[in-house]
Amino acid sequence: GEDVEQSLFLSVREGDSSVINCTYTDSSSTYLYWYKQEPGAGLQLLTYIFSNMDMKQDQRLTVLLNKKDKHLSLRIADTQTGDSAIYFCAENPGYNKLIFGAGTRLAVHP
Amino acid sequence: DTAVSQTPKYLVTQMGNDKSIKCEQNLGHDTMYWYKQDSKKFLKIMFSYNNKELIINETVPNRFSPKSPDKAHLNLHINSLELGDSAVYFCASSQELWNTEAFFGQGTRLTVV
């Protein structure tokens, strides 16, 4: 079946690293995505990783993929208050659609 | 320049009414989508269109009818609105395959009273 799971909340202190985890179900997914949604705004693609990679780094963002366990994580280094948002993990099992997780609400406090 | 634009941003209407949400993309993409985000922020695809042709209809009630006059536009018409239709509706577009970046509009917050 199609199911993407994420923890719902994460609270971190400003300057610390944040790690948001996700598990997905469809091993045929070619790409896996992380989207960010700020309050009252649309979704912004943060990064994506091709399924034959196990790590991708983009400035403060590091994506780790464990394809065997179908586990994806997003690490944000030096988390800032502007990083407070909902982060959605998504897989594409083909069929011209994305399957989203429920989103992880990241709260950054001083 | 807004890549994917939706109108209106907010829509408040009474039960039983018929309403439309418009979406336009200026990216030259072939594929457009409608997603629904409920009050718990859960996002689920409703429709996808490729070159004006319906590709996916994810068991959406017949009261919802997408219309694509050209590949840059995908409008969503909703008949006989119900309270449960209250949600944020997102339009998105991408190249033909999902294996590339998808761009989302800012969303339309629909409130049915």
Side-chain angles (χ1 to χ4, degrees):
Chain A
E2 301 169 340
D3 200 9
V4 177
E5 294 190 355
Q6 305 177 233
S7 52
L8 294 182
F9 299 100
L10 177 65
S11 179
V12 298
R13 187 172 297 176
E14 194 173 8
D16 287 351
S17 292
S18 307
V19 179
I20 302 171
N21 294 303
C22 167
T23 56
Y24 62 97
T25 54
D26 198 316
S27 57
S28 67
S29 290
T30 310
Y31 287 87
L32 295 135
Y33 304 82
W34 284 104
Y35 279 83
K36 177 183 180 182
Q37 185 179 30
E38 295 181 8
L43 279 85
Q44 172 197 356
L45 178 67
L46 277 182
T47 186
Y48 60 89
I49 187 167
F50 190 48
S51 60
N52 70 352
M53 298 169 66
D54 51 22
M55 187 181 88
K56 180 179 178 182
Q57 187 148 6
D58 183 2
Q59 299 182 332
R60 292 190 299 120
L61 304 179
T62 303
V63 179
L64 295 178
L65 174 61
N66 181 329
K67 200 172 178 183
K68 174 175 169 289
D69 295 337
K70 300 192 188 70
H71 183 265
L72 183 72
S73 68
L74 173 69
R75 179 177 180 270
I76 306 173
D78 187 24
T79 313
Q80 303 297 308
T81 54
D83 296 324
S84 294
I86 301 176
Y87 291 82
F88 291 92
C89 169
E91 63 170 339
N92 80 315
Y95 326 121
N96 287 324
K97 65 180 180 182
L98 285 177
I99 307 298
F100 284 89
T104 299
R105 190 179 297 272
L106 174 64
V108 183
H109 56 88
Chain B
D1 282 344
T2 304
V4 182
S5 59
Q6 301 177 225
T7 54
K9 190 172 180 182
Y10 299 98
L11 183 55
V12 181
T13 188
Q14 290 186 323
M15 281 175 58
N17 283 351
D18 303 336
K19 290 293 177 185
S20 295
I21 306 171
K22 295 185 177 180
C23 179
E24 176 183 4
Q25 53 96 1
N26 62 5
L27 299 165
H29 288 166
D30 288 340
T31 308
M32 295 185 73
Y33 312 81
W34 278 107
Y35 277 83
K36 179 180 179 180
Q37 187 175 43
D38 63 23
S39 58
K40 295 182 181 178
K41 302 295 185 183
F42 189 67
L43 267 164
K44 191 169 173 63
I45 191 165
M46 300 172 70
F47 301 103
S48 75
Y49 267 71
N50 186 55
N51 280 320
K52 303 193 300 175
E53 184 180 337
L54 178 66
I55 303 297
I56 290 176
N57 177 342
E58 285 284 309
T59 61
V60 179
N62 291 338
R63 300 182 295 103
F64 290 79
S65 54
K67 287 187 172 54
S68 183
D70 55 62
K71 74 174 191 179
H73 295 83
L74 182 63
N75 304 323
L76 184 64
H77 302 276
I78 316 170
N79 295 325
S80 303
L81 277 154
E82 300 177 357
L83 292 176
D85 298 331
S86 295
V88 181
Y89 292 84
F90 286 99
C91 177
S93 75
S94 70
Q95 295 292 347
E96 183 171 347
L97 297 174
W98 262 116
N99 292 341
T100 56
E101 183 173 356
F103 291 83
F104 280 76
Q106 291 299 299
T108 296
R109 183 176 293 276
L110 171 65
T111 304
V112 182
V113 297

